[in-house]
């Protein structure tokens, strides 16, 4: 039934390579439908049922009449391209409401679409994207109407322009466009990857006939040809191949380069030049972004709007998350200046360490951990084998929709060690937009570390013994290295040093070799090195180091119960937990992991307020 539904959609016996040649698997007798094609085919069958003679669903004509009444009562449809271009030089943001997805499962099924849309709009979103597909994404048209009504009311209170509302679904018929208009949508998503070229033209024309400028989604260059041929004006690049679920952030840059080669005007900065000549096309990036670095990356190639969903849906404070995207280029420049002053950026990195099982690793990923730590140290109760490590790496990569080791931005120059580490910490922030796997080693020969990195596919390593600061140079392993600095507990009866003195001593020993510094507790007299003590050190030491300009990760004795205090008082750049979220050594308690990560993120939000 699904295959027949697709074949009929493609044109049946009249289907042609000219119309369908860009569609994945077209004309291949051995092709197996992708998940995207199964969802599309299911949607086609659903609407066949809705439009059958026995159905009580309203006709398209009735829906269009409802749309007219809706617009009289609640305001007209907004022009999508004009909304995007009016934001220049700032990046327009399409903030997405998405309860679940086929690849990630439940994301935030409990959230209310109207409330979330109101928060998005209040923080500066120009477009609210609402997933309305019911089976896999757990959305509905009621969600869309709720988003429209709440944001309209909020805009009326402020006497300002409301955000445009996007229906994001698997649109294969003009009926769905009429449905969207009646529910309060300003625009709809049209996916080139599943739509014949002639049908795409019909859908675009129909959308414009009811006042909508559609967002036309492409992934590959062959799909760009179809979009341009159909007359698309707002083109969104999905960095995720929805047939394979592989993510490649370069796709948007490839499409931008192709548009440039073909002589199309699209650069978002040109909208603010004041000469009255607006670009022909507005280019949007539609998937895989979560940070200010991602936004700036696409700003540089002329993108006018980024669509961000999952990270905002998981954020404890979506308003703060949106402000952290630095949509205005001046905000991004200010956030990236290296002044040599105290580190005041707050908590950006959350590491869950001591994983021994892929399911536990995925639980940490879903909770929002940046780094997944697996331990190779002989003394550890959480030591993993090469095979265990490979399984965890495979699971984390699959979650992050990547097939290879993450590549870090190069940080050059001959700056001081502290300045170099500040720049490197930002590179780690960028790289950890998808969770990374860290291998933890303690006094291993460097060639053994390198061999393990290569065998397991580790993204970076952590040196937790007496290897020395210079051993953490990435040239030794082919990947960056975190360097642990032990903070000893216990006294030999001598004069006790102040936290400032200890911090100064540590800074004098720091080199530019590691990618970042991690502070952990050690017990005086333990020659095996620190880690795994379950005890906290004096957090004032970390606070003092950061006041001297160096962002640090803190570990040792952190738990869901004290993480709020640690983040609130110290505002460390990163936090690291292992035993504090376990049911038993090496076995994570998923509820504790969730509570720890949420606690860290929530405390970071509170700590940033008024700072």
């Amino acid at each position: 039934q699904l295959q027949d539904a697709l074949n009929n959609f493609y044109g049946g016996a009249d289907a042609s390579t000219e119309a369908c040649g860009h569609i994945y698997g077209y004309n291949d007798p051995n092709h197996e439908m992708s998940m995207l094609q199964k969802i599309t085919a299911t949607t086609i069958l659903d609407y066949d049922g809705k439009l059958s003679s026995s159905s009580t669903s309203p006709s398209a004509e009735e829906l269009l009449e409802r749309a007219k009444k809706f617009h009289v009562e609640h305001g007209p449809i907004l022009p999508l391209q004009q909304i995007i271009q009016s934001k220049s030089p700032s990046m327009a943001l399409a903030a997405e409401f998405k309860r679940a997805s086929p690849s990630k499962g439940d994301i935030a099924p409990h959230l209310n679409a109207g409330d979330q849309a109101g928060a998005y709009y209040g923080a500066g979103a120009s477009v609210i994207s609402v997933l309305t597909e019911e089976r896999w994404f757990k959305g509905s048209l009621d969600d869309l109407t709720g988003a429209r009504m709440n944001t309209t009311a909020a805009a009326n209170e402020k006497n300002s322009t409301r955000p445009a509302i996007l229906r994001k679904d698997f649109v294969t018929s003009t009926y769905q466009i009429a449905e969207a208009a009646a529910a309060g949508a300003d625009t709809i998503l049209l996916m080139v990857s599943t739509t014949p070229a002639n049908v795409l033209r019909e859908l675009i024309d129909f959308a414009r006939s009811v006042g909508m400028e559609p967002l036309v989604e492409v992934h590959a260059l062959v799909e760009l040809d179809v979009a341009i041929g159909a007359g698309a004006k707002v083109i969104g690049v999905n960095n995720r191949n929805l047939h394979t679920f592989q993510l490649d952030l370069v796709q948007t840059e490839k499409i931008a380069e192709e548009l440039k080669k073909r002589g199309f005007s699209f650069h978002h900065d040109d909208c603010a030049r004041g000469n009255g000549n607006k670009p022909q096309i507005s280019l949007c990036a539609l998937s895989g972004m979560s940070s200010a670095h991602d936004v700036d990356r696409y700003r540089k190639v002329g993108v006018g709007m980024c669509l961000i969903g999952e990270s905002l849906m998981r954020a404890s404070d979506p308003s703060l998350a949106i402000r952290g995207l630095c949509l205005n280029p001046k905000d991004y420049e200010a956030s990236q200046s290296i002044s040599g002053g105290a580190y005041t950026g707050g908590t950006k990195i959350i590491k869950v360490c001591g994983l021994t099982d892929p399911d536990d690793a995925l639980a940490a990923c879903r909770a929002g951990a940046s780094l997944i730590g697996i331990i190779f140290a002989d003394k550890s109760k959480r030591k993993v084998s090469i095979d265990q490590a490979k399984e965890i790496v495979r699971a984390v990569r699959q979650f992050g929709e990547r097939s290879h080791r993450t590549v870090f931005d190069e940080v050059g120059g001959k700056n001081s060690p502290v300045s170099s580490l500040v720049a490197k910490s930002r590179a780690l922030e960028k790289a950890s937009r998808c969770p990374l796997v860290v291998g933890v080693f303690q006094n291993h020969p460097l060639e053994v570390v390198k061999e393990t990195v290569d065998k397991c596919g580790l993204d970076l390593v952590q040196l937790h013994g007496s290897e020395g600061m210079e051993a953490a140079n990435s040239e030794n392993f082919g990947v960056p290295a975190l360097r642990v600095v032990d903070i000893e507990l216990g006294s030999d009866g001598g004069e006790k040093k102040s936290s400032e003195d200890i911090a100064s001593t540590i800074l004098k020993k720091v080199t530019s070799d590691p990618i970042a510094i991690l502070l952990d507790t050690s017990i005086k007299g333990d020659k095996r090195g620190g880690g795994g003590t379950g005890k906290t050190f004096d957090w004032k030491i970390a606070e003092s180091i950061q006041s001297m300009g160096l962002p640090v990760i803190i570990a040792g004795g952190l738990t869901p119960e004290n993480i709020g205090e640690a983040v609130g008082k110290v505002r460390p750049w990163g936090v690291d937990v292992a035993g504090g979220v376990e049911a038993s050594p090496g076995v994570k308690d998923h509820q504790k992991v969730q509570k720890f990560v949420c606690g860290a993120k929530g405390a970071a939000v509170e700590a940033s307020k008024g700072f």
Side-chain angles (χ1 to χ4, degrees):
Q1 280 186 304
L2 296 178
Q3 189 61 63
D4 287 346
L6 283 182
N7 290 339
N8 290 334
F9 181 52
Y10 297 160
D14 295 326
S16 67
T17 301
E18 181 181 0
C20 302
H22 64 283
I23 295 175
Y24 181 61
Y26 176 74
N27 248 353
D28 178 0
N30 299 316
H31 172 66
E32 292 186 12
M33 283 186 289
S34 67
M35 188 65 187
L36 171 61
Q37 289 172 326
K38 290 177 182 177
I39 295 173
T40 302
T42 302
T43 302
I44 292 169
L45 292 175
D46 284 345
Y47 276 88
D48 284 347
K50 273 189 177 184
L51 299 175
S52 67
S53 57
S54 60
S55 172
T56 58
S57 299
S59 67
E61 291 74 18
E62 289 172 319
L63 288 171
L64 292 177
E65 282 302 314
R66 291 183 190 180
K68 290 177 182 178
K69 291 178 181 178
F70 186 96
H71 298 140
V72 169
E73 293 179 16
H74 305 293
I77 288 175
L78 298 181
L80 177 62
Q81 188 171 29
Q82 186 177 319
I83 290 288
I84 294 170
Q85 293 182 340
S86 68
K87 293 297 176 181
S88 179
S90 292
M91 178 80 74
L93 171 67
E96 187 158 272
F97 183 82
K98 176 168 62 176
R99 289 197 173 91
S101 76
S103 60
K104 298 296 177 68
D106 283 354
I107 296 170
H110 60 286
L111 291 182
N112 176 275
D115 293 343
Q116 190 80 350
Y120 287 164
Y121 168 59
S126 310
V127 176
I128 308 296
S129 170
V130 182
L131 262 295
T132 59
E133 197 280 331
E134 296 180 0
R135 280 187 176 82
W136 288 276
F137 294 86
K138 300 185 178 179
S140 69
L141 284 167
D142 287 341
D143 286 338
L144 187 145
T145 302
R148 170 71 152 86
M149 299 303 290
N150 272 28
T151 53
T152 298
N156 289 342
E157 284 182 12
K158 297 196 301 183
N159 195 28
S160 62
T161 303
R162 66 176 178 83
I165 305 297
L166 164 69
R167 180 186 187 183
K168 198 173 183 190
D169 209 318
F170 301 83
V171 176
T172 58
S173 67
T174 56
Y175 185 87
Q176 290 166 278
I177 299 174
E179 265 187 336
D186 298 285
T187 181
I188 40 90
L189 180 76
L190 300 178
M191 302 171 67
V192 176
S193 60
T194 56
T195 309
N198 60 310
V199 176
L200 181 67
R201 283 192 293 271
E202 291 172 9
L203 295 176
I204 290 176
D205 290 344
F206 184 82
R208 287 175 180 161
S209 74
V210 300
M212 291 182 180
E213 183 58 50
L215 172 59
V216 180
E217 178 191 294
V218 303
H219 173 74
L221 292 179
V222 66
E223 294 168 13
L224 178 64
D225 294 332
V226 177
I228 291 173
K233 294 180 181 178
V234 182
I235 296 177
V237 184
N238 198 328
N239 293 307
R240 181 179 287 107
N241 183 331
L242 293 178
H243 296 293
T244 64
F245 290 114
Q246 288 295 307
L247 185 67
D248 182 4
L249 294 178
V250 175
Q251 284 302 117
T252 294
E253 292 159 332
K254 287 180 179 177
I255 296 294
E257 182 62 27
E258 186 65 21
L259 287 172
K260 186 177 178 180
K261 282 181 183 178
R262 298 187 189 189
F264 287 98
S265 60
F266 67 91
H267 205 292
H268 191 54
D269 287 351
D270 293 341
C271 300
R273 301 205 187 282
N275 58 11
N277 296 321
K278 301 293 184 184
Q280 301 162 274
I281 291 171
S282 290
L283 186 62
C284 312
L286 300 187
S287 192
M289 295 147 290
S290 61
S291 72
H293 304 303
D294 297 328
V295 170
D296 187 65
R297 171 180 182 167
Y298 293 131
R299 177 168 29 234
K300 289 174 180 174
V301 297
V303 168
M305 183 174 78
C306 283
L307 187 147
I308 299 179
E310 184 179 341
S311 64
L312 296 181
M313 290 294 288
R314 294 188 190 274
S316 54
D317 186 335
S319 299
L320 189 72
I322 289 174
R323 288 196 289 275
L325 294 172
C326 298
L327 300 172
N328 188 310
K330 291 182 179 179
D331 292 339
Y332 184 77
E333 290 169 11
S335 74
Q336 297 303 295
S337 64
I338 301 177
S339 61
Y343 172 74
T344 60
T347 303
K348 308 289 186 182
I349 299 292
I350 300 175
K351 178 169 173 268
V352 178
C353 199
L355 280 305
T356 61
D357 178 78
D359 289 339
D360 286 355
L362 287 174
C365 291
R366 292 189 186 104
S370 320
L371 305 178
I372 303 299
I374 52 179
I375 299 174
F376 296 92
D378 291 330
K379 79 163 195 174
S380 176
K381 295 174 286 188
R382 307 173 182 94
K383 181 182 177 183
V384 297
S385 66
I386 295 295
D387 287 341
Q388 282 177 295
K390 286 180 178 178
E391 288 181 8
I392 291 171
V393 167
R394 190 179 301 114
V396 173
R397 284 187 182 181
Q398 186 174 5
F399 177 86
E401 298 167 313
R402 58 189 176 101
S403 56
H404 300 90
R405 178 183 290 136
T406 293
V407 177
F408 289 72
D409 289 349
E410 290 188 15
V411 179
K414 297 181 179 180
N415 298 320
S416 69
V418 170
S419 295
S420 178
L421 286 172
V422 169
K424 286 185 174 185
S425 70
R426 288 178 182 156
L428 180 53
E429 282 179 34
K430 284 185 180 183
S432 63
R433 51 171 303 282
C434 289
L436 306 178
V437 182
V438 185
V440 181
F441 298 87
Q442 193 167 55
N443 298 322
H444 289 71
L446 299 187
E447 59 270 19
V448 173
V449 178
K450 174 69 166 65
E451 183 181 348
T452 307
V453 166
D454 293 338
K455 281 183 178 178
C456 302
L458 303 175
D459 295 301
L460 62 164
V461 300
Q462 176 177 314
L463 300 185
H464 214 310
S466 55
E467 300 92 344
M469 193 67 65
E470 290 79 5
N473 193 298
S474 62
E475 292 184 1
N476 290 325
F477 320 111
V479 297
L482 300 170
R483 176 64 247 189
V484 175
V485 174
D486 291 330
I487 309 295
E488 276 192 351
L489 299 183
S491 172
D492 57 6
E495 181 181 351
K496 186 177 181 181
K497 291 184 178 181
S498 69
S499 58
E500 291 82 3
D501 288 341
I502 296 173
S504 295
T505 300
I506 290 171
L507 280 181
K508 288 176 184 176
K509 296 179 180 179
V510 164
T511 70
S512 58
D513 294 286
I515 193 169
I517 299 296
L518 186 151
L519 306 180
D520 199 358
T521 308
S522 68
I523 305 298
K524 190 171 181 63
D526 187 348
K527 296 180 180 179
R528 297 175 299 173
T533 65
K535 298 182 180 297
T536 61
F537 62 86
D538 181 1
W539 292 335
K540 289 182 180 178
I541 297 170
E543 196 172 357
S544 296
I545 292 175
Q546 293 201 148
S547 71
M548 298 174 190
L550 179 63
V552 294
I553 302 171
I554 64 171
L558 295 178
T559 67
E561 288 69 39
N562 67 11
I563 187 60
E565 181 186 3
V567 171
K569 285 185 175 180
V570 183
R571 302 182 78 248
W573 174 63
V575 292
D576 183 353
V577 67
V581 292
E582 286 183 331
S584 61
V587 179
K588 297 304 186 219
D589 181 316
H590 294 190
Q591 288 186 336
K592 287 183 179 179
V593 171
Q594 181 72 31
K595 187 177 178 182
F596 180 90
V597 175
C598 288
K601 290 186 174 184
V605 169
E606 291 303 315
S608 68
K609 292 178 179 177
F611 188 83

